[in-house]
Amino acid sequence: MTLNAARTLLLEIDVQNDFCSGALAVQNAVEVIPPLNALAAAVTAKGGCAAATQDWHPWGHSSFASSYSGKSPGDIIDTETVNGQVLWPDHCIQGSWGAAFHEQLNLDPVSFIIRKGLQKTLDSYSAFFENDRRTPTGLEGLIRGLGIETVIIGGLATDYCVFYSAMDCKRLGLATIIAGDAVRGVDFPAGSVDNAVKEMKKNGIEFISSAELIGRLK
């Protein structure tokens, strides 16, 4: 199956310093960068688009364990906006080194940056909606305006922001593909990466290598 490059968006999820080597580092995270760079170059060279998401949290964010007395990273609580919020170490604080994109990620082909998790009381895993599952990030409107039909997703982390972004993308009626060699997961709790992959595949989300995707672009 060929891909109409002009109707394709590459969505690069949260390739930021804190997720690569900082406060919330994902194992082998930097391995996603070469295939993402190759895909971005290929998609945009053929008339498609590339976008990147960026966690952009204020100090004292509701997803930080440090915002609550007696809580630790990994605890799960109900907040004023969502139930079942996982608490994390402080990460991707607005304007910090940890929030910046990794220096090896080539942003030259990237036309749009979607910042998420800006509200102090509301986290955001999905590139499309905040964690209340109602508040949009603006990405869907951008995609509709560009006439995009297919979204290729890669980045961090497989079992959180990649998973929620892909599931929302599919639910919104877009052909959704995971660049299989361009994702890495947290695997918290243990088994969450396998479960996320199974759930995505069950919902018709394809996993295809970056090299094969580049070969399919027309």
Side-chain angles (χ1 to χ4, degrees):
M1 181 187 74
T2 61
L3 295 174
N4 182 350
R7 299 283 187 181
T8 297
L9 173 78
L10 173 66
L11 183 58
E12 303 178 344
I13 302 290
D14 298 355
V15 187
Q16 297 168 259
N17 287 326
D18 267 344
F19 296 128
C20 291
S21 60
L24 195 46
V26 175
Q27 187 173 13
N28 301 320
V30 295
E31 293 177 358
V32 310
I33 297 175
L36 286 178
N37 285 343
L39 277 166
V43 168
T44 57
K46 294 179 179 293
C49 295
T53 67
Q54 189 176 27
D55 262 12
W56 198 249
H57 299 315
W59 287 101
H61 192 258
S62 60
S63 70
F64 297 168
S66 65
S67 298
Y68 308 91
S69 177
K71 297 298 181 182
S72 301
D75 290 346
I76 300 175
I77 67 168
D78 294 338
T79 71
E80 61 182 87
T81 53
V82 295
N83 295 328
Q85 172 67 55
V86 178
L87 298 182
W88 305 104
D90 292 14
H91 65 279
C92 297
I93 294 169
Q94 296 172 6
S96 69
W97 171 87
F101 291 109
H102 192 280
E103 63 180 5
Q104 293 176 20
L105 185 70
N106 182 13
L107 293 174
D108 289 343
V110 172
S111 298
F112 309 99
I113 294 173
I114 304 295
R115 286 177 168 169
K116 56 191 181 69
L118 286 76
Q119 300 183 52
K120 191 171 185 178
T121 60
L122 188 57
D123 202 7
S124 181
Y125 295 152
S126 173
F128 292 90
F129 297 97
E130 306 282 357
N131 280 7
D132 62 357
R133 315 303 300 141
R134 297 187 303 272
T135 304
T137 64
L139 179 58
E140 181 189 2
L142 174 67
I143 285 174
R144 302 294 187 201
L146 292 171
I148 296 296
E149 297 173 350
T150 301
V151 179
I152 300 170
I153 298 175
L156 308 168
T158 310
D159 39 345
Y160 283 91
C161 296
V162 168
F163 171 76
Y164 283 93
S165 298
M167 294 293 284
D168 279 344
C169 191
K170 186 69 175 181
R171 181 172 58 82
L172 292 169
L174 296 156
T176 306
I177 300 170
I178 300 293
D181 55 334
V183 291
R184 295 294 184 275
V186 176
D187 208 34
F188 176 82
S192 61
V193 170
D194 285 344
N195 290 337
V197 170
K198 289 176 184 176
E199 187 68 14
M200 286 187 277
K201 288 181 176 179
K202 187 174 78 173
N203 281 273
I205 296 168
E206 295 184 271
F207 281 67
I208 303 174
S209 73
S210 59
E212 184 175 344
L213 286 167
I214 290 169
R216 291 190 186 188
L217 291 168
K218 303 299 179 185

